[in-house]
Amino acid sequence: SPAFLILWGPGLFRLTCYYYRKAYYRSFWLAPAACTVRGAHGSYSGETRFPLILQNLHRYAWYFAVIFIALLTWDAILAFRFPDGIHMGVGTVIMWINVLFLAGYTFSCHSCRHLCGGSVNIFTKAPGRYGLWRFITRLNERHGLFAWLSLFSVGLTDLYIRLLSMGVIRDLRIF
Ligand code: FES
């Protein structure tokens, strides 16, 4: 599938996500098993050595993720366009829900929060960035929820579109 050509972008972003890292470090490697608990593999070196130092690519992967949000939003806008005019089908709704969950995941990212206000020393001197940082912080508190919702929505949206394109199902039109 051509989707594999672009999979590296979202894949790198998700694989290096702080939330998923916590989950797979604890679940699969038991390193560390939990806060202040000694890991199962002796000394703990954090993410200071190869290959885990590559996790730092996350902050750069965020920029690619934002590009994908723009592309998916454009796709969702085009989903209103039918051969006989402007309409809305179940597929349109599914695509918009997917964009909302993915945007929630991308903009609740820890790197995004840092980018918006993490480098500001005095918030009163940067009220705009402070407001943005507060908003992102509220989203960030639900980052884990967005991580799971978007993980399923992206897969199910792809499946729905694939089944439509193969003629297995028909899109119900809402208006
Ligand atoms: Fe999860 Fe950035 S921390 S996407």
Side-chain angles (χ1 to χ4, degrees):
S1 159
F4 284 109
L5 295 176
I6 53 120
L7 206 58
W8 62 270
L12 181 70
F13 184 56
R14 217 166 261 270
L15 195 69
T16 57
C17 163
Y18 292 82
Y19 175 76
Y20 286 114
R21 273 192 241 176
K22 183 182 87 175
Y24 63 71
Y25 284 176
R26 289 184 177 181
S27 310
F28 296 115
W29 297 342
L30 296 177
C35 292
T36 73
V37 174
R38 182 188 290 271
H41 311 295
S43 65
Y44 174 67
S45 61
E47 293 168 333
T48 56
R49 299 195 196 133
F50 185 81
L52 292 185
I53 198 166
L54 294 178
Q55 301 278 31
N56 289 305
L57 289 174
H58 185 69
R59 68 196 69 170
Y60 306 108
W62 182 82
Y63 294 100
F64 285 105
V66 172
I67 294 172
F68 282 103
I69 296 297
L71 291 174
L72 289 171
T73 303
W74 181 244
D75 276 350
I77 290 170
L78 292 183
F80 286 105
R81 209 179 54 175
F82 284 70
D84 57 339
I86 301 296
H87 297 284
M88 187 166 89
V90 172
T92 318
V93 176
I94 289 176
M95 288 177 76
W96 274 103
I97 289 173
N98 184 43
V99 167
L100 287 178
F101 285 165
L102 281 170
Y105 176 59
T106 304
F107 295 110
S108 65
C109 168
H110 296 62
S111 296
C112 174
R113 182 170 174 260
H114 176 75
L115 196 70
C116 293
S119 56
V120 179
N121 287 330
I122 305 170
F123 275 135
T124 51
K125 294 206 169 147
R129 290 188 66 187
Y130 178 55
L132 191 59
W133 178 82
R134 278 179 48 129
F135 175 69
I136 300 291
T137 298
R138 280 208 291 277
L139 282 182
N140 182 258
E141 288 164 3
R142 292 164 186 80
H143 188 61
L145 178 66
F146 282 122
W148 285 109
L149 289 175
S150 62
L151 185 68
F152 285 106
S153 76
V154 76
L156 292 175
T157 304
D158 277 358
L159 179 68
Y160 186 84
I161 293 171
R162 181 76 174 155
L163 293 177
L164 277 182
S165 69
M166 291 167 67
V168 177
I169 57 171
R170 280 173 54 103
D171 192 31
L172 285 179
R173 192 175 283 189
I174 297 171
F175 70 79

